[in-house]
Amino acid sequence: MSLPPEKASELKQMIQDHLIKMDIHGKIRDVLAETIRGEGDHGQRPLSEEDFLTALQRRGIVDDVMKDLNFVNVVSAINMPLRRYLYLQVLGGRAFLEHLQEPAPLPGQVCSTFTLHLHFRNQRFRTKPVPCACEPDFQDGFLLEVHRDGPGDASKMADATTMLSICDPVHMVLIRTDASGDTVLVSSYFLDWRSVLSAPNGKTAISVELLGVGSECKVSTGVLNLKLEMYPPLSETLSPEVISTQQSLERQKTAEKERLFLVYAKQWWREFLEIRPSHQSKLVKIFAQDENGVNRPVCSYVRVLRAGRLLESPRQAARFVSLLAQERAPVVGGGARHEQWCNMMAFLCRNKGDCEDHATLLCSLLLGFGLDAYVCVGTKGKNNPHTWVMTCGNDGTVTFWESLTAHRYLHQPIDPEAPPLVPQPKPTYPYCTVGCVFNYKTFLANCQPSDSVELCVFDFADSSRWKAMSEEAVRSVCAPGSTSSLPPTPPLCSPSIQSAEASNQLELEMRFLLAEHRKDLGLATVWDDHLCYLLSSALAAYELERSMGVSCGNEEFQDGVRRAVPDGHTFKGFPIHFLHCNARRAFTTCLRSPFCEEILCCRGDHVRLAVRVRVFAYPESACAVWIMFACKYRSVL
């Protein structure tokens, strides 16, 4: 826990006074003298700090101190909030049969790894990566804050009955990372931790079976061994029957709310079809299936998400979402596209997803920035199903946000009743039709004669154009905490990548690959470090333009390059953008471009080469990687 400086000093002084009363210094001196005598008699190596600490533990000095210090009373004495914690340990796994034949990795060998991510009550943790195996060696523990009381005496600390009403699950997401850095969502599991409230000593060991995702959501992927412990220990525990009764009541309440919403949704849909029979073919999506095969209202996938200090503006939020790679849900065999919407936690941990995942995350972030944002469900291109985001300004301005690219488009409807000679706005957006729009509290279906985006009027107050669902009905199953089955919203994590360190490492690798490539061609490689440095400003300008929509700094870059390239010499540069830090993958992609290959294979008089890498870190493990290759050489006519 974090303490104010004055409280921390007070706590230190109280502990110091208590240790003096115990004569801890005298006990330490006795153990030290005894240990030195023992070591001297045997003529062994000099006494180390580790040997001394071992001797203290062997004599029970450390245990005596910890038992004698009553931390609950100490914390109460300084008037600090009292908290209950759940200590969750992951103690290995078993029966991950897909990896039964996985060979043990050799020392230094890059292999596939498992990482377990946890989310509980606005707290996020993850285990250390462990090699994929039939019995993965997870050995990690996490201290999860369950309940926090205000300042007061110890009698106000939450008891077992109070914590029984906390139905938030621990969301566990298992990710497999391949040797190439590619991530795969293995399982998404919701753990009800409250069984520990009935454990006699406040500790319990359980095994949880993880199921697959998507089309494999009913297939077991493996078993995790967990140990749960409450701290401080409970003075009174509950009976298992009380806990199971509470869980049963929560399930019944949730099932009833979901049943009533389904009845309402069916009636609403019948009314929508009565407006026009053609509405049957419109893309009005009320429910969507998540990675566990659970059907949920689409509004429950959107939340008001504030990024704290991690994102500074709506446009930067759009840039962040666009850096999460797009990948459609895998499907066994051919046929139509398998649609799978992911819970936000699973999407963020996996670091990639389909357009629906991107759109719901971007809409949540824009709502957090105070915008009137909605997810649009419709088509684009050759009538391919697609989702994107729109915002409505106070002046009626409608802006489309493409979550996969961070591009923004202004929408101006075409007036079909206007005379032929009246100029009409030309759409710049790629969207064809829109069937419905929604956010965390609103669902609206398009009931205009045409669902064409260019003809659509986004006046949601006009019931002749948009049929709205009851906000109360939506809130009953989609509001945070409305049902126990609703996944909690995770906070964004700080960037996991150190920009400067990652940039330097990737640049060294690219230099090595370029030099080896030229060596295979029989060409020497001479670097111009000054020219390398000058490329930085161009890469910074490229990222600024992508994230903020502002173009600047190009004049200074051009001026610096002109000064660095002597008269009679030619300069060539090639920038390229990636979403990963894998040097070999990036270099292979660069070689496919004839412009880049022309620079990498440059021949001539006085050839000097340059490469610059800039890794821009964003929340989670998202990153924008810019690489620029350049060369200068003397022109020979």
Side-chain angles (χ1 to χ4, degrees):
M1 67 177 71
S2 59
L3 296 175
E6 64 277 6
K7 294 293 184 183
S9 301
E10 188 178 344
L11 180 59
K12 289 178 183 177
Q13 187 60 48
M14 293 175 66
I15 294 175
Q16 179 69 16
D17 293 343
H18 195 80
L19 293 176
I20 292 173
K21 289 179 183 177
M22 292 175 60
D23 190 27
I24 189 66
H25 298 95
K27 294 179 180 179
I28 290 175
R29 278 195 297 270
D30 293 343
V31 174
L32 180 59
E34 181 183 327
T35 307
I36 291 175
R37 283 197 302 271
E39 295 292 340
D41 293 341
H42 293 89
Q44 297 178 352
R45 56 182 174 78
L47 181 66
S48 68
E49 183 179 346
E50 185 177 350
D51 295 329
F52 180 53
L53 290 174
T54 303
L56 285 174
Q57 290 175 335
R58 193 165 51 241
R59 285 282 298 271
I61 303 296
V62 175
D63 290 338
D64 289 345
V65 171
M66 296 304 292
K67 288 177 182 176
D68 204 52
L69 278 172
N70 190 332
F71 281 106
V72 172
N73 291 338
V74 169
V75 172
S76 302
I78 61 172
N79 199 34
M80 286 302 298
L82 301 174
R83 309 181 187 190
R84 288 282 189 192
Y85 292 94
L86 173 69
Y87 184 48
L88 187 153
Q89 291 176 274
V90 188
L91 303 175
R94 63 182 189 275
F96 285 81
L97 299 181
E98 187 177 340
H99 301 276
L100 186 62
Q101 304 298 327
E102 196 91 17
L106 300 173
Q109 179 186 4
V110 179
C111 63
S112 298
T113 59
F114 281 140
T115 305
L116 185 67
H117 298 254
L118 288 83
H119 169 227
F120 179 68
R121 307 202 85 188
N122 221 37
Q123 307 158 78
R124 286 182 60 183
F125 303 91
R126 64 180 176 183
T127 65
K128 296 183 290 290
V130 299
C132 292
C134 183
E135 297 184 354
D137 189 26
F138 290 111
Q139 296 294 329
D140 274 294
F142 307 98
L143 197 62
L144 312 178
E145 183 181 292
V146 179
H147 189 276
R148 180 192 306 186
D149 270 316
D153 56 35
S155 64
K156 287 190 177 179
M157 180 173 280
D159 58 9
T161 305
T162 302
M163 288 189 291
L164 181 61
S165 64
I166 300 174
C167 60
D168 303 65
V170 179
H171 191 181
M172 308 170 70
V173 176
L174 184 62
I175 298 293
R176 183 177 74 243
T177 306
D178 297 336
S180 63
D182 193 34
T183 56
V184 177
L185 176 62
V186 178
S187 181
S188 176
Y189 182 84
F190 294 93
L191 170 69
D192 193 329
W193 54 274
R194 291 175 291 181
S195 60
V196 72
L197 300 177
S198 65
N201 56 355
K203 301 178 183 178
T204 183
I206 60 173
S207 296
V208 297
E209 182 183 22
L210 302 182
L211 300 178
V213 296
S215 57
E216 301 176 14
C217 63
K218 298 188 184 302
V219 180
S220 175
T221 61
V223 176
L224 286 181
N225 302 320
L226 306 178
K227 184 177 179 182
L228 307 178
E229 178 181 354
M230 290 303 303
Y231 183 82
L234 296 169
S235 56
E236 294 182 7
T237 58
L238 303 174
S239 68
E241 293 76 16
V242 170
I243 296 174
S244 61
T245 301
Q246 173 69 15
Q247 293 168 336
S248 177
L249 288 172
E250 290 171 357
R251 286 193 294 269
Q252 291 173 16
K253 183 179 178 182
T254 294
E256 180 62 15
K257 285 187 175 183
E258 291 174 346
R259 185 190 69 81
L260 291 174
F261 180 77
L262 181 60
V263 170
Y264 169 77
K266 286 182 176 179
Q267 177 61 31
W268 181 91
W269 177 247
R270 283 193 292 269
E271 293 172 359
F272 180 67
L273 294 182
E274 288 173 1
I275 299 174
R276 286 187 187 86
S278 61
H279 285 177
Q280 181 73 49
S281 61
K282 285 194 175 183
L283 282 175
V284 179
K285 193 167 189 64
I286 304 173
F287 296 93
Q289 198 172 81
D290 68 10
E291 71 270 17
N292 290 326
V294 178
N295 274 313
R296 289 168 35 207
V298 291
C299 294
S300 68
Y301 289 87
V302 179
R303 287 285 175 266
V304 179
L305 182 60
R306 296 180 179 87
R309 302 284 184 182
L310 300 178
L311 296 170
E312 302 294 340
S313 69
R315 296 194 185 194
Q316 194 178 35
R319 174 61 171 159
F320 157 62
V321 175
S322 71
L323 293 173
L324 303 174
Q326 182 191 16
E327 182 177 272
R328 290 180 176 173
V331 59
V332 179
R337 164 182 177 250
H338 174 63
E339 186 182 279
Q340 172 187 300
W341 295 37
C342 272
N343 289 307
M344 195 178 293
M345 177 69 176
F347 176 42
L348 292 173
C349 295
R350 186 184 172 207
N351 210 38
K352 61 183 176 182
D354 211 341
C355 60
E356 295 87 5
D357 307 320
H358 288 78
T360 52
L361 176 58
L362 177 56
C363 184
S364 299
L365 289 167
L366 296 184
L367 288 166
F369 279 108
L371 301 184
D372 188 20
Y374 302 84
V375 175
C376 300
V377 179
T379 62
K380 74 169 188 176
K382 298 179 180 179
N383 283 325
N384 296 317
H386 189 63
T387 58
W388 66 98
V389 179
M390 65 165 286
T391 54
C392 300
N394 288 331
D395 58 354
T397 303
V398 172
T399 305
F400 293 146
W401 303 64
E402 177 49 63
S403 56
L404 297 177
T405 62
H407 291 164
R408 299 165 68 251
Y409 308 96
L410 192 64
H411 174 260
Q412 293 177 305
I414 293 175
D415 183 5
E417 305 297 331
L421 297 180
V422 174
Q424 297 274 21
K426 293 183 178 179
T428 57
Y429 44 79
Y431 314 118
C432 300
T433 64
V434 56
C436 65
V437 301
F438 65 89
N439 59 23
Y440 71 105
K441 63 178 182 180
T442 304
F443 186 93
L444 298 141
N446 185 0
C447 53
Q448 298 173 61
S450 170
D451 58 0
S452 172
V453 176
E454 61 182 19
L455 298 176
C456 189
V457 176
F458 291 92
D459 180 8
F460 297 146
D462 188 346
S463 59
S464 67
R465 290 189 167 103
W466 295 92
K467 180 172 175 56
M469 271 194 174
S470 161
E471 288 197 7
E472 184 180 352
V474 172
R475 190 163 51 246
S476 68
V477 289
C478 296
S482 58
T483 66
S484 59
S485 64
L486 204 59
T489 306
L492 293 184
C493 284
S494 300
S496 61
I497 297 173
Q498 300 294 326
S499 294
E501 182 181 327
S503 299
N504 291 335
Q505 179 62 32
L506 187 54
E507 188 170 309
L508 286 173
E509 293 177 12
M510 296 305 288
R511 280 194 173 208
F512 172 78
L513 292 172
L514 175 53
E516 288 295 305
H517 181 71
R518 288 179 62 82
K519 184 179 178 181
D520 293 342
L521 297 175
L523 301 172
T525 303
V526 182
W527 297 104
D528 186 332
D529 291 334
H530 178 60
L531 186 58
C532 288
Y533 180 73
L534 294 182
L535 302 179
S536 291
S537 62
L539 300 184
Y542 298 151
E543 182 58 26
L544 182 65
E545 186 174 4
R546 290 286 183 96
S547 62
M548 296 297 182
V550 177
S551 179
C552 63
N554 191 47
E555 299 81 2
E556 293 86 350
F557 168 65
Q558 292 181 0
D559 189 53
V561 168
R562 288 192 188 99
R563 290 175 177 276
V565 178
D567 291 339
H569 284 64
T570 299
F571 169 83
K572 291 181 179 180
F574 176 78
I576 190 168
H577 176 251
F578 295 98
L579 305 182
H580 60 82
C581 294
N582 188 306
R584 290 194 177 275
R585 277 173 59 194
F587 192 73
T588 302
T589 303
C590 292
L591 287 175
R592 296 195 191 107
S593 167
F595 301 104
C596 186
E597 189 180 19
E598 186 179 335
I599 294 172
L600 302 182
C601 307
C602 182
R603 303 168 184 262
D605 186 22
H606 206 69
V607 175
R608 296 293 181 267
L609 292 162
V611 61
R612 193 63 168 174
V613 176
R614 284 292 306 274
V615 177
F616 297 89
Y618 283 81
E620 304 294 327
S621 52
C623 63
V625 178
W626 285 96
I627 302 175
M628 190 169 188
F629 295 98
C631 67
K632 65 177 183 180
Y633 57 92
R634 182 178 295 159
S635 304
V636 179
L637 297 177

